[in-house]
């Protein structure tokens, strides 16, 4: 096995005939590993986000065993390690509050331990971006292995997407169309297997994006969680990690501006989650790639929807897999990709692509005959969102994408919950529902509150969609005419904080505009009257640091001190060794 120029990183721990070398080898042998097993071999860390409170990642122990086999088969030595994990459904107040914490955990674990490469095992929504952010900053060779989509749930003969259909059933219960007994049965049926949500929600979008970025082996994203082929690709990822260690192919070599363009193009081609916008901005920030919201708008203008998958279409990710998976999607949009971009295979996108397009064009269409035209996503700006906001046009009611109506403002989620059932609520179908104090600082953590519920009295009249505006995010499985990620947020002094009931709001999503009819003097008056101290802030611990240091949504909600590549030699991956003299 040829070692990289300069030797293996792990040799700094294990090769020295001195006290530190003794201590490190002794620690390994205390774990039962002989020198033959690890010395001189690439050490591959398996960064496992398995947790019993993260149901989507519950199969990762078996997956890690498969990665381990691959590492050993390729001549490396695997060492599995845990980090904090983020379970979308159980973790409160929102996993997004802790994405940066997990990213820090991943980064520091990679940097602090003797890894020559890492395999990142992520699945549930925030685990993948957190691992990518951390690995990008550590810049030790890395490859991602996502957990795969769960088996589809079936309820009364209908195949369900976990989130997409759930929103409909919740409205059915509220409107009296579904009994609570039936709803209980649905609850039992909704999650039939391990794996991430099986439609193109945030987890599947992030898995797709990982392929688009070139950070995993081609074809891995859509392999179902419970399919034996996922274990096989896990072995292949483990083996490839050994190659990455020897070739010294690092995230900074793969995560280029071209790779981000490819990832955004894929996200748009599959009708992916708006959450991915925030994550991509954060990952790009880590590697110093200048990515802005405008790039999403530009690429959206040329990228149609070519995959017929929920929530924008009919199928689940499993059908996308059987139609050829993400490589077939990439083949469809090949002319929109930077095909010369390098990937973790050591080859370019072009070299990785399959020779022929998808066989089943009812699931993956050719670029010439897409399921929906371009501009499935729009970035809107104006005096209500000076730094931008986003709207998923493909999930909206087309007639509402251009709309003028009076604001109905909810101060925060508590206010919304207290009033949206009120039969006397002063609201019509033309109203624009506004939720403030739901952004990164305000909530805090920018939860997925952006799909504001339709007020009950309108729901009973048959209203199914309205224009909704917030500084929150929205689940990748949700739909509706929802303007999200308004930046700056209300808690940071953004214009949402000054809005009042009855203010006339104009949305023109296709033109990229979001404005409210207020004069300069009205803005000034309201600014003078605004009491910003009224927004509560966490006083201690991680949450207090979070609200102090988190950036706005248009910059990915990363911490300001984690953005960019450090020029400080003390931050280099191997600087952990400088000045180290021993462990006793
Ligand atoms: Fe974990 Fe959807 S809740 S992936």
């Amino acid at each position: 096995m040829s070692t990289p120029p300069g030797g293996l990183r792990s040799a700094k721990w294990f090769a020295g005939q001195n006290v530190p070398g003794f201590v490190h080898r002794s620690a390994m042998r205390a774990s039962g590993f002989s020198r033959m097993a690890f010395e001189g071999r690439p050490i591959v860390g398996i960064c496992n986000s398995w947790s019993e409170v993260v149901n989507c990642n519950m199969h990762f122990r078996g997956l890690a065993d498969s990665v381990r086999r691959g590492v050993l088969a390729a001549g490396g030595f695997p060492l599995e390690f845990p980090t904090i994990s983020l379970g979308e459904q159980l973790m409160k107040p929102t996993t997004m509050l802790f994405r940066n914490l997990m990213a820090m955990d991943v980064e520091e674990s990679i940097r602090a331990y003797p890894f020559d490469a890492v395999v990142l095992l992520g699945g549930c929504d925030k685990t993948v971006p957190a691992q990518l952010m951390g690995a990008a900053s550590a810049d030790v060779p890395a490859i991602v292995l996502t957990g795969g989509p769960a088996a589809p749930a079936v309820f009364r003969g209908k195949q369900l997407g976990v989130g997409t259909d759930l929103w409909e059933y919740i409205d059915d219960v509220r409107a009296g169309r579904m009994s609570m007994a039936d709803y209980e049965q649905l609850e039992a049926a909704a999650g039939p297997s391990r794996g991430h949500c099986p439609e193109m929600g945030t987890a599947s979008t992030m898995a797709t994006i990982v392929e688009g970025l070139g950070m995993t082996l081609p074809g891995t994203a859509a392999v179902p969680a419970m399919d034996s082929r996922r274990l096989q690709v896990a072995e292949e990822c483990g083996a490839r990690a050994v190659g990455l260690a020897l070739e010294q192919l690092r995230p900074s070599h793969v995560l280029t501006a071209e790779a981000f363009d490819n990832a955004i193009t894929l996200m748009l081609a599959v009708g992916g989650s708006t959450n991915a916008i925030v994550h991509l901005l954060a990952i790009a920030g880590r590697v110093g790639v200048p990515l802005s919201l405008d790039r999403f708008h530009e690429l959206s203008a040329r990228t149609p929807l070519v995959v017929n998958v929920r929530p924008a279409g009919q199928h689940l990710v499993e059908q996308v897999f059987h139609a050829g998976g993400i490589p077939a999607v990439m083949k469809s949009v090949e002319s929109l990709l930077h095909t010369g971009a390098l990937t973790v295979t050591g080859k370019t996108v072009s070299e990785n692509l399959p020779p022929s397009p998808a066989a089943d064009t009812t699931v993956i269409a050719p670029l010439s005959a897409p399921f929906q035209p371009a501009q499935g996503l729009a970035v809107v700006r104006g005096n209500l969102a000076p730094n931008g906001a986003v709207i998923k046009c493909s999930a909206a009611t087309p007639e509402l994408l251009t709309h003028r109506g009076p604001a109905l403002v909810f101060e925060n989620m508590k206010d919304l919950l207290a009033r949206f059932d009120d039969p006397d609520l002063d609201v019509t179908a033309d109203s624009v529902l506004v939720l403030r104090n739901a952004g990164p600082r305000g909530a805090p953590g920018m939860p997925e509150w952006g799909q504001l519920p339709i007020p009950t009295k309108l729901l009973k009249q048959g209203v199914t969609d309205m224009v909704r505006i917030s500084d929150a995010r929205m689940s990748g499985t949700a739909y509706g005419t929802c303007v999200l990620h308004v930046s700056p947020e209300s808690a940071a002094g953004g214009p949402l904080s000054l809005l009042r009931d009855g203010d006339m709001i104009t949305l023109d999503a296709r033109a990229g505009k979001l404005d409210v009819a207020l004069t300069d003097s009205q803005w000034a008056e309201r600014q003078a009257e605004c009491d910003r101290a009224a927004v509560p802030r966490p006083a201690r611990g991680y949450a207090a640091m979070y609200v102090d240091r988190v950036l706005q949504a248009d910059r990915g909600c990363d911490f300001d001190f984690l953005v960019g590549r450090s020029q400080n030699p003390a931050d280099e991956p191997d600087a952990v060794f400088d000045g180290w003299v021993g462990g006793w």
Side-chain angles (χ1 to χ4, degrees), residues 54-57 86-90 123-127 148 162-163 195-199 201-204 475 477:
V54 185
N55 54 297
C56 312
N57 296 8
L86 312 176
E88 200 62 27
Q89 288 147 333
L90 293 180
C124 196
D125 293 12
K126 307 298 179 300
T127 55
V162 172
H196 59 66
C197 294
E199 66 271 79
T202 303
S204 293
S475 163
T477 60

Side-chain angles (χ1 to χ4, degrees), residues 29 107 116 167 265 376 379 449 453 477 486 561:
R29 296 176 81 169
E107 175 184 347
D116 298 298
W167 305 122
T265 300
V379 174
W449 294 344
T477 60
V486 169
F561 57 88

